[in-house]
Amino acid sequence: MKRMMSFFLAAMILLRFSGCDREPEIPAVSAEFTETTVSVTEETAMPTTSEGDFSFSQLRYWGFRFASGAGGWGTNLQIAADGSFSGDYHDSEMGVVAEEYPNGSIYLSVFTGQFGQPEKLDAYTYSLKPEFMDYEIQPGTTQIRDGVQYCYSEAFGLSGVQELLLYLPGTPIANLPEDFLVWVNLYGSEASELPFYGLYDPVNATGFYSFHIIDEVLAYIQGVEAADLALNEQLTDTSTQTDMNIAADQRYKLWDDALNELWTVLQKVLDEPAMAQLTAEELQWIREKEQAAEDAAAEVQGGSLYPTVYWGTAAKLTQERVYELLAYLPQT
């Protein structure tokens, strides 16, 4: 039971890890890539002609990803209205073990940086040059926690990059490099125009595709709902109290992660006054949630039922809060 529940939890959590002094294997041109779906609305779509100039604020609802569905690794990138950027690189190797870390190795990198002013090259292309890039934890650092080795390194796809070419939605496919089309799963497609934003490193011939951050968090929450249901279905009349305690804890972690993912998106799409007010409300809600969980479990304090009641209450309230916060997302 514990192993099955851990499987569902692991399937839902977006690991933010990167390689330890190594680069992931790059798939061949024929490798299968994860399908990318992007929703473009009037408010968030990018101009596709030379009229007007690009500004970073037009990327407010968009994120970028450099990844391989075959390898299970990826770099995520967010660009703010002032050209600052942040993101993470993730990978994991459960087979890379040792006596000190029998549960495998996880590779992580969290970074921030700043792009200079975009330079217009043509109607569909802008040059973006990083002015600096910093890491939350120095690359080369390793840590061992709970039987897992955590390795920190530079972000694959961004390390050492001197220039990225930004392609606007509507860019003619015929004008785009073949290497870029391979990375964003458009090589050999019947599309005549780029349906999303793209970032291309012309030196290393690698590319990022864009995704709509609201669409992605909604899909993430749908996945949490499915994982939550699966956890409940694992419980039967023969389940032990330990099984139920584990399930309650896993359910809370699922919904707490969902709330954190949603909160990250809200910080990007809401203006400062709205976010300040929502933050104050959220802090109050956290206090009320913790008190409600303690009150609910008080009658079984010290007993084997305590984790089930405490975490079960916390999971229910967190799930309800996720649904409440969804109402703050702009409509797409």
Side-chain angles (χ1 to χ4, degrees):
M1 172 65 71
K2 184 175 182 179
R3 180 175 299 178
M4 182 63 70
M5 291 175 180
S6 297
F7 169 79
F8 286 114
L9 178 62
M12 289 312 309
I13 297 177
L14 298 178
L15 296 176
R16 292 176 166 79
F17 310 117
S18 74
C20 182
D21 296 326
R22 70 184 184 94
E23 293 184 348
E25 296 180 5
I26 300 178
V29 172
S30 60
E32 294 183 0
F33 287 79
T34 303
E35 182 180 357
T36 303
T37 56
V38 178
S39 155
V40 180
T41 68
E42 243 180 66
E43 182 183 3
T44 62
M46 183 72 178
T48 59
T49 71
S50 58
E51 297 179 3
D53 289 323
F54 164 78
S55 72
F56 288 119
S57 63
Q58 291 166 294
L59 299 177
R60 180 179 182 182
Y61 295 94
W62 299 84
F64 292 89
R65 181 167 294 130
F66 173 49
S68 164
W73 54 267
T75 298
N76 297 303
L77 175 68
Q78 293 281 342
I79 304 176
D82 61 357
S84 61
F85 62 86
S86 60
D88 55 80
Y89 169 61
H90 65 271
D91 195 3
S92 60
E93 292 288 350
M94 294 300 98
V96 179
V97 299
E99 184 176 352
E100 299 84 1
Y101 44 94
N103 297 327
S105 299
I106 293 177
Y107 309 94
L108 62 160
S109 178
V110 177
F111 56 83
T112 56
Q114 178 72 49
F115 286 117
Q117 287 299 311
E119 176 186 354
K120 187 174 184 178
L121 303 182
D122 59 44
Y124 301 100
T125 312
Y126 285 79
S127 171
L128 307 182
K129 295 180 180 179
E131 295 180 341
F132 68 87
M133 181 171 169
D134 296 323
Y135 289 91
E136 185 177 273
I137 296 181
Q138 183 66 28
T141 303
T142 60
Q143 301 173 351
I144 298 176
R145 302 192 302 271
D146 300 323
V148 176
Q149 177 184 224
Y150 294 86
C151 303
Y152 300 82
S153 76
E154 298 181 345
F156 189 46
L158 289 174
S159 176
V161 167
Q162 300 299 310
E163 178 188 38
L164 290 172
L165 300 181
L166 172 69
Y167 299 128
L168 306 187
T171 303
I173 293 294
N175 296 353
L176 294 169
E178 181 177 300
D179 291 316
F180 170 76
L181 295 175
V182 169
W183 279 109
V184 300
N185 198 26
L186 286 177
Y187 182 75
S189 76
E190 297 180 357
S192 61
E193 298 180 345
L194 187 65
F196 44 74
Y197 301 97
L199 288 174
Y200 178 62
D201 175 3
V203 174
N204 296 301
T206 53
F208 288 71
Y209 64 84
S210 68
F211 58 91
H212 197 282
I213 61 175
I214 294 177
D215 287 350
E216 175 148 294
V217 77
L218 293 177
Y220 180 88
I221 291 171
Q222 287 180 334
V224 168
E225 290 174 329
D228 188 17
L229 179 62
L231 280 169
N232 286 327
E233 289 178 346
Q234 296 303 309
L235 296 175
T236 66
D237 292 338
T238 60
S239 296
T240 66
Q241 185 59 54
T242 297
D243 292 335
M244 290 187 284
N245 290 346
I246 293 172
D249 178 62
Q250 299 283 45
R251 287 191 64 240
Y252 173 69
K253 288 177 180 176
L254 279 172
W255 287 107
D256 189 53
D257 286 339
L259 189 150
N260 289 331
E261 291 291 331
L262 178 55
W263 191 259
T264 298
V265 172
L266 289 170
Q267 289 177 312
K268 292 173 178 142
V269 301
L270 296 183
D271 58 33
E272 288 187 15
M275 197 63 212
Q277 179 177 343
L278 189 59
T279 299
E281 294 175 4
E282 188 69 6
L283 292 174
Q284 179 62 29
W285 173 82
I286 290 172
R287 289 189 288 268
E288 292 174 355
K289 175 203 67 175
E290 293 175 348
Q291 187 61 54
E294 291 177 3
D295 291 345
E299 293 184 5
V300 291
Q301 181 75 38
S304 60
L305 277 173
Y306 185 88
T308 292
V309 177
Y310 184 91
W311 294 119
T313 301
K316 178 179 180 295
L317 294 174
T318 305
Q319 180 182 11
E320 292 172 353
R321 183 59 176 168
V322 166
Y323 294 144
E324 290 173 0
L325 291 177
L326 285 174
Y328 289 86
L329 289 174
Q331 296 300 308
T332 60

